[in-house]
Structures are given as structure tokens and as C-alpha cells.
């Protein structure tokens, strides 16, 4: 329900003020790797640059009704995107951040590598990225680096199909063994000959498979 209430949309020039104010909050400065407030002119130049370079920089604004609650940004560096999320102080600790992150991931598309650098004392952000299925890539005394690979939804679809097939195969294996028991009871000699052929074929498959190892 919460994710339906929060609207994630691409940022435009009108959203600059929110980006600037959130970035220069006391908690934002404390959790930032730069540790310094950003001047309005410097931040505006960065903001316009992001809006122009839409292929490598993605800025999203999060709102509940018409009230801005925060932003999410993805900036491309080399082959990955650095992800950062910020909320107005009064909207923190309400569970909005995870829904903002999930909603923005759907909008930037698949086949992307996401990286997030989080200071180790920032426990809320550490918990956020772990709950959003990010994995720890690197960790030192000051910072934990998270990574997540966005894949196509079709991959999950096929994986679910394979799981269903695997489940049904297990049931079928039980049925096959029951049939084998029945065959041994009714025509044991013929069943032995058939089973011997099956065993020989399996042995040949194993020999061929060893060549791949």
C-alpha cells in the first residue's frame, strides 16, 4: 500500500530546491563521504549536468501526493552506477526509503550494476541496502560497499519455471520407482534386461560428461 502512495518520477528543474535542501541537511552531511556542505551554485551546476546526461545520470524525486519526501540518484561510473538516496528528516524512519529504492530500480531498467557506499555508523542505510537485496562487496573500517545486479524479469520467470519442473520431476521420480517395483514383481527377468540397458547408457553418458570436466 505504501509503495502505491509514494510516486517516483524523473526530476526536473523545479526539483532543484528539494535536492539542494536535502543534500545540505545535518544528517546528510554527516553521512556523506565528502563531509562538507555544497554551495548552491556548485550544486545547481551538478544538477543541470545530471538532467542533460540522461543516459549516464538518473535523478528521481519521491512524493506523497504533492509533498516531496526525498530523492534517489544513479550516476554512472565506468561500468556501474553509484546509487544515493536522501529524505527530508521528518520523513525518515518511516520505511519510505526501501519503497523509493525499489520503485526507482524499476524505472532505470535491467542489466545494470549498482554500487552503494555507506558509512559504517549509518546503521539505517546499512539495513536499507541489505533489505533491498544488495550484497556486501567490500568493507573497511569506515565504509561498507554494497553491490546489486539488476536483471531482466524474464530471468526470474524462467527460474520459477525451472523450480516447478524440478518439483514435478521429484514427484515423477517417485512414480518411476513405483513402476520399477511393479515391473520386478510381474516380469523380473525382462525388467532386469531393460534395467541393464539403462545402466549401460548411463555409464556412456558419464564417460562423455567427464570429458567436459
Amino acid at each position: 500500500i505504501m509503495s502505491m502512495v509514494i510516486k517516483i518520477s524523473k526530476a526536473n528543474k523545479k526539483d532543484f530546491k528539494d535536492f539542494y535542501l536535502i543534500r545540505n541537511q545535518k544528517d546528510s552531511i554527516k553521512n556523506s563521504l565528502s563531509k562538507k556542505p555544497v554551495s548552491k551554485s556548485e550544486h545547481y551546476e551538478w544538477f543541470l549536468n545530471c538532467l542533460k546526461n540522461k543516459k549516464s545520470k538518473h535523478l528521481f524525486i519521491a512524493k506523497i501526493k504533492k509533498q516531496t519526501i526525498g530523492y534517489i540518484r544513479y550516476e554512472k561510473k565506468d561500468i556501474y552506477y553509484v546509487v544515493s538516496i536522501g529524505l527530508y528528516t521528518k520523513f525518515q524512519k518511516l520505511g519510505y526509503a526501501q519503497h523509493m529504492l525499489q520503485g526507482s530500480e524499476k524505472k532505470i531498467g535491467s542489466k545494470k550494476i549498482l554500487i552503494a557506499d555507506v558509512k559504517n555508523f549509518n546503521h539505517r542505510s546499512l539495513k536499507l541496502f541489505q533489505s533491498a537485496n544488495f550484497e556486501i562487496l567490500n568493507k573497511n573500517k569506515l565504509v561498507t560497499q554494497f553491490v546489486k545486479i539488476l536483471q531482466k524479469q524474464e530471468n526470474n520467470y524462467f527460474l520459477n519455471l525451472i523450480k516447478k519442473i524440478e518439483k514435478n520431476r521429484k514427484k515423477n521420480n517417485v512414480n518411476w520407482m513405483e513402476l520399477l517395483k511393479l515391473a520386478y514383481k510381474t516380469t523380473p527377468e525382462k525388467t532386469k534386461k531393460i534395467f541393464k540397458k539403462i545402466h549401460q547408457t548411463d555409464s556412456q553418458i558419464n564417460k562423455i560428461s567427464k570429458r567436459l570436466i
Side-chain angles (χ1 to χ4, degrees):
I1 298 173
M2 189 186 296
S3 60
M4 293 175 65
V5 173
I6 300 173
K7 184 181 178 181
I8 308 293
S9 57
K10 288 184 178 181
N12 55 50
K13 288 184 180 180
K14 293 180 182 179
D15 300 311
F16 168 71
K17 185 179 178 180
D18 290 309
F19 272 80
Y20 176 67
L21 291 176
I22 293 171
R23 170 60 182 81
N24 281 331
Q25 290 178 153
K26 287 184 179 180
D27 60 328
S28 297
I29 294 169
K30 181 182 177 183
N31 294 324
S32 173
L33 298 179
S34 65
K35 298 181 181 180
K36 294 180 181 180
V38 182
S39 68
K40 196 169 186 178
S41 59
E42 183 184 355
H43 204 59
Y44 189 65
E45 185 180 349
W46 166 84
F47 188 77
L48 289 180
N49 182 50
C50 289
L51 294 182
K52 289 178 183 177
N53 296 281
K54 293 180 180 180
K55 289 185 178 181
S56 60
K57 301 177 190 297
H58 303 276
L59 301 183
F60 297 99
I61 201 81
K63 294 183 179 183
I64 295 179
K65 294 184 179 179
K66 294 183 179 180
Q67 174 70 59
T68 297
I69 63 171
Y71 68 75
I72 314 97
R73 61 184 176 91
Y74 299 87
E75 293 187 72
K76 191 174 184 180
K77 292 186 178 180
D78 298 323
I79 61 170
Y80 60 88
Y81 287 81
V82 177
V83 55
S84 178
I85 185 167
L87 287 90
Y88 278 114
T89 305
K90 64 180 180 180
F91 293 112
Q92 295 175 8
K93 301 180 183 180
L94 297 173
Y96 294 150
Q98 187 172 351
H99 291 278
M100 287 166 58
L101 193 57
Q102 290 172 344
S104 63
E105 284 179 3
K106 292 176 182 178
K107 291 183 177 291
I108 64 170
S110 60
K111 292 185 178 180
K112 288 181 174 63
I113 301 171
L114 307 182
I115 295 287
D117 295 308
V118 182
K119 287 186 175 179
N120 292 334
F121 62 73
N122 188 357
H123 300 295
R124 287 207 310 273
S125 288
L126 292 173
K127 188 176 179 180
L128 166 66
F129 287 106
Q130 286 175 329
S131 62
N133 297 319
F134 279 72
E135 295 182 8
I136 294 175
L137 179 64
N138 191 24
K139 187 175 183 179
N140 57 38
K141 291 181 180 180
L142 299 175
V143 176
T144 298
Q145 189 174 69
F146 290 93
V147 64
K148 182 177 183 179
I149 300 175
L150 297 182
Q151 298 177 347
K152 284 187 176 181
Q153 291 182 348
E154 286 86 345
N155 289 349
N156 292 330
Y157 172 74
F158 286 122
L159 284 174
N160 289 331
L161 281 182
I162 291 168
K163 286 180 181 178
K164 287 181 180 179
I165 292 169
E166 184 182 18
K167 187 177 180 181
N168 288 326
R169 282 300 298 268
K170 285 179 181 179
K171 292 179 180 178
N172 205 37
N173 285 339
V174 173
N175 294 333
W176 192 87
M177 291 306 294
E178 290 297 324
L179 183 63
L180 186 63
K181 289 177 185 177
L182 182 63
Y184 263 112
K185 288 179 181 178
T186 53
T187 54
E189 293 302 321
K190 287 184 179 180
T191 304
K192 285 179 182 179
K193 289 178 182 179
I194 294 170
F195 198 74
K196 187 178 180 180
K197 289 180 182 179
I198 293 170
H199 178 70
Q200 288 173 346
T201 305
D202 283 341
S203 298
Q204 289 172 357
I205 292 170
N206 289 332
K207 286 179 181 178
I208 295 169
S209 299
K210 286 179 180 179
R211 295 177 188 174
L212 300 173
I213 301 173

